[in-house]
Amino acid sequence: MITVKRDSHNPLITPNPNNIWESLAAFNGCPIRDDNRYIIVYRALSKKTQYKDKEIELSTIGVATSQDGVIFTDRYQLIKPEYDWEKYGCEDPRISKIDDDFFIFYTALSDSPPGPNSIKVAVALSKDCKTIQEKHLVTPFNAKAMAFFPEKINGQYVALLTPNTDIPPSKIAVAKFNTREEIWSERYWNEWYKNINTYTLPLQRYAADQVEVGAPPIKTQYGWLLIYSYIKNYLSGNEKVFNIEVVLLDSNNPEKIIGRVHGSLLKPEEEYELKGIVANIAFPSGAFVENDNLYIYYGGADTVVCRASLSLKELFSQTQINSIFPPKLKKYINNPILSPKQEHAWEATGVLNPAAIYLDNTVHLLYRAISSDNTSTVGYAKSKDGITFEERHIEPIYVPRSSFEDKKRVNNNSGCEDPRITLIDDKIYMCYTAFDSIGPPRVALTYINVNDFLEKRYIWSEPVLISPPGVDDKDACILPEKINGKYMIFHRIESDIVVDLVDSLDFNGNRWLRSLEYIPLREDFWDNDKVGISAPPIKSEYGWLLLYHGISATDHVYRVGAMLLDLENPSYVLARSHYPILEPELPFEKDGNVNNVVFPCGAVVIDKKLFVYYGGADKYIGVATIGFHDLLAYLNDSREKKFLI
């Protein structure tokens, strides 16, 4: 954790009831040092008043000065509405100085209440921060929070901005200009917007989160510091969490992220951050470096201006410069690949959570099917290319056969759930969750000879329970190789992945797994509430690749991450992805029998590409792919955490 100290004078700027234009709030201040003084521009908000044809709280931009960056005096109004494109307010300024001119970018509102089409970026130019020489509307599209780099880079003006702030998900993107006039050229921006993804910084970790430019970038010996707002749960419907985060951009190519601090620098905790016009907000709006200290100015609860500081040396010592972002699984454009069939009662409610095996140049998918009375069985489909499933059985290939998976309550969930399969010698072993609709779910084991499977003779061995009675146990698979002469079985008890070593797979119904090793949860991560294995581990030169699902305690969304396990002791985690590599984003993943779920149970490697088969919202099946060695290289690189200093 980096030590961040809030200033003892906080809040530094508060509303002034004697000035109508800033009587309700004064916040989101952006400072700049000039001629041995500090100038800060900030958003000022009036109390509700009759303005033009409406009664509104009007935002304008104020200025104050200081000798020490703490005590600000001489407050006056600098920018207020003049043109139609800013008719209903001027918000959230960022100030930079280039070529002896102050560039003040701000959010311009052309309507009230504002909508996406009426929220755009504008710029005001000043020589002295006392009078404005010219103003321009900058973006013809929805955007906020634009900030200049304080010097030209490779002869160009460079800026950061946040397009689509009100058409989420927002993006933080880089724009470069050869001339000043390009900054407010509609033609320039229309061309730029067509290729917006080319200029976007990959800062968003989860689909439900929002990002926004904070302070203008700060030049350091290692690169440009970008301090920005990271808003967790912005789109999820859960409580929003406004955090302040930081990344390091390349000195000569600011479109490239070269370092990142994992985790937040600051989040709302103090009363002036928790209570105000909009509660629970710490929003970064400006910063500067002095000696070894980084000073961050931020808005508290959309009401006041605050400041916090931290050691630059300590910040750089925790700025990670390798494995900054994991590669993401690429979802098949025509997902879902399998959907329920109403004409088949046994799979009418859902098809999901498929196991997979690659045999005879064919992907064989064994998926969980849910019937109209909520009984789970195992269906079958196959594909030559891993994407198009040309054959799908009209009957399940595995059904409940024992009392521990027979339905005890009418229409309740029961049966054989979430299979994982492993090939060992000439047998395919299948672990699955057995549930009788009453007792806690338990792990069951069966197997079939490979030849029988390929010839479609589904002669499965009698299933046997292998997890202890009275314990909620699920998500099990067998490692495809012995470890020190023993079989290794992964499963999940309560919220943790657990690992067992057994001498034999011939369970007799009276010998249970014992949970010898744990792969635990991680606090303050996306997988802090529950974890379970996805597909059985896949061996590589670097270690065993294990995909797993994790659930967040904050939003209860199912996401997928990756681990690299030690080859000789697979209970030992060598590396683990900071962020998920797959999460619910598409309608079939977000809306179904259980919303916001991606849940793989099978993965295969074909021509150096990893195919991951997953359930979407407990109703559909999708596939996503990634270069097998791309994912391994990321995890292997993560083993050695490299920091800037």
Side-chain angles (χ1 to χ4, degrees), residues 546-600:
L546 175 66
L547 303 180
Y548 71 100
H549 64 265
I551 306 170
S552 165
T554 304
D555 58 18
H556 307 292
V557 172
Y558 280 73
R559 301 179 174 93
V560 178
M563 299 182 192
L564 191 65
L565 308 180
D566 186 76
L567 283 173
E568 296 182 0
N569 178 14
S571 64
Y572 180 70
V573 179
L574 298 174
R576 189 167 174 177
S577 56
H578 279 287
Y579 311 125
I581 61 174
L582 184 73
E583 63 178 314
E585 297 169 292
L586 302 174
F588 85 94
E589 302 161 342
K590 297 175 72 68
D591 186 15
N593 294 324
V594 180
N595 296 341
N596 298 312
V597 174
V598 287
F599 197 96

Side-chain angles (χ1 to χ4, degrees), residues 466-468 473 477-479 483 486-493 497-503 507 512-518 571:
I466 64 174
S467 65
D473 204 335
C477 77
I478 304 170
L479 196 74
I483 301 297
K486 295 179 181 291
Y487 296 99
M488 179 169 278
I489 299 177
F490 294 80
H491 53 121
R492 194 202 83 209
I493 292 182
I497 296 173
V498 293
V499 185
D500 277 270
L501 289 170
V502 296
D503 294 318
F507 288 84
W512 320 119
L513 299 175
R514 295 175 295 160
S515 309
L516 299 176
E517 301 285 348
Y518 283 76
S571 64

Side-chain angles (χ1 to χ4, degrees), residues 29 34 52 111 130 206 226 237 257 296 340 362 365 399 447 472 475 529 533 592 595 612 618 633:
D34 185 63
K52 297 190 180 295
D111 199 3
K130 292 182 179 179
Y206 317 124
L226 170 59
I257 297 174
I296 300 174
T362 301
L365 218 59
V399 298
Y447 64 84
D472 186 323
D475 302 334
D529 188 53
I533 66 110
N595 296 341
V612 178
D618 276 15

Side-chain angles (χ1 to χ4, degrees), residues 223-522:
W224 294 99
L225 277 180
L226 170 59
I227 298 157
Y228 63 100
S229 176
Y230 195 95
I231 310 166
K232 293 183 177 180
N233 308 321
Y234 189 85
L235 302 174
S236 69
N238 295 292
E239 182 181 2
K240 298 180 179 67
V241 181
F242 284 75
N243 290 340
I244 298 175
E245 298 193 5
V246 62
V247 292
L248 188 68
L249 309 180
D250 185 81
S251 295
N252 296 312
N253 180 15
E255 295 174 355
K256 180 181 179 182
I257 297 174
I258 60 174
R260 185 171 198 169
V261 174
H262 294 291
S264 64
L265 298 179
L266 190 78
K267 60 184 178 181
E269 294 175 334
E270 296 295 327
E271 185 173 4
Y272 50 79
E273 301 156 354
L274 298 172
K275 296 180 180 179
I277 293 174
V278 182
N280 301 319
I281 291 181
F283 188 88
S285 48
F288 62 80
V289 170
E290 197 167 74
N291 299 321
D292 178 53
N293 290 319
L294 171 64
Y295 293 93
I296 300 174
Y297 289 73
Y298 63 96
D302 275 10
T303 306
V304 295
V305 174
C306 308
R307 186 174 86 159
S309 62
L310 60 146
S311 163
L312 204 59
K313 183 177 181 180
E314 184 181 1
L315 176 68
F316 289 145
S317 72
Q318 297 193 39
T319 300
Q320 191 168 330
I321 59 173
N322 68 324
S323 304
I324 300 170
F325 300 99
K328 295 272 189 176
L329 291 170
K330 183 178 181 181
K331 298 171 183 176
Y332 176 47
I333 192 171
N334 291 324
N335 273 342
I337 54 173
L338 296 180
S339 299
K341 286 194 172 184
Q342 297 304 313
E343 63 270 29
H344 298 162
W346 63 276
E347 57 178 351
T349 299
V351 293
L352 60 151
N353 304 357
I357 192 169
Y358 190 58
L359 296 171
D360 280 2
N361 297 314
T362 301
V363 175
H364 304 268
L365 218 59
L366 280 69
Y367 61 87
R368 175 181 171 187
I370 304 177
S371 71
S372 52
D373 73 344
N374 295 313
T375 299
S376 288
T377 58
V378 177
Y380 172 87
K382 74 174 185 178
S383 168
K384 287 293 185 183
D385 62 6
I387 297 290
T388 305
F389 283 81
E390 61 270 14
E391 181 180 328
R392 180 171 170 182
H393 285 4
I394 62 172
E395 297 289 342
I397 66 167
Y398 193 89
V399 298
R401 294 180 291 155
S402 296
S403 61
F404 53 72
E405 54 203 19
D406 283 340
K407 192 182 299 291
K408 304 292 194 301
R409 290 178 179 168
V410 176
N411 290 327
N412 278 26
N413 288 334
S414 68
C416 310
E417 304 175 354
D418 305 345
R420 276 92 170 174
I421 54 179
T422 303
L423 176 63
I424 300 177
D425 298 327
D426 62 347
K427 294 178 181 177
I428 298 172
Y429 287 86
M430 182 169 71
C431 295
Y432 64 92
T433 300
F435 186 51
D436 64 2
S437 73
I438 296 178
R442 296 175 68 183
V443 176
L445 176 66
T446 184
Y447 64 84
I448 188 172
N449 289 324
V450 171
N451 287 338
D452 286 336
F453 179 80
L454 293 176
E455 294 297 326
K456 302 179 183 178
R457 297 187 296 266
Y458 298 115
I459 307 169
W460 296 90
S461 68
E462 282 298 313
V464 60
L465 292 173
I466 64 174
S467 65
V471 177
D472 186 323
D473 204 335
K474 306 176 79 171
D475 302 334
C477 77
I478 304 170
L479 196 74
E481 291 184 10
K482 287 185 177 181
I483 301 297
N484 297 323
K486 295 179 181 291
Y487 296 99
M488 179 169 278
I489 299 177
F490 294 80
H491 53 121
R492 194 202 83 209
I493 292 182
E494 303 299 340
S495 299
D496 299 303
I497 296 173
V498 293
V499 185
D500 277 270
L501 289 170
V502 296
D503 294 318
S504 170
L505 296 177
D506 294 327
F507 288 84
N508 57 14
N510 293 308
R511 180 168 61 89
W512 320 119
L513 299 175
R514 295 175 295 160
S515 309
L516 299 176
E517 301 285 348
Y518 283 76
I519 299 176
L521 304 172
R522 299 182 294 183

Side-chain angles (χ1 to χ4, degrees), residues 81-127:
E82 296 179 86
Y83 302 100
D84 285 344
W85 42 262
E86 59 180 358
K87 181 178 179 181
Y88 287 99
C90 308
E91 301 179 349
D92 301 342
R94 272 86 171 171
I95 186 170
S96 299
K97 189 177 185 181
I98 301 181
D99 302 335
D100 295 324
D101 284 326
F102 293 99
F103 288 76
I104 305 170
F105 291 93
Y106 60 96
T107 302
L109 306 181
S110 61
D111 199 3
S112 179
N117 292 330
S118 61
I119 301 173
K120 298 173 182 177
V121 170
V123 65
L125 277 70
S126 175
K127 294 290 186 182

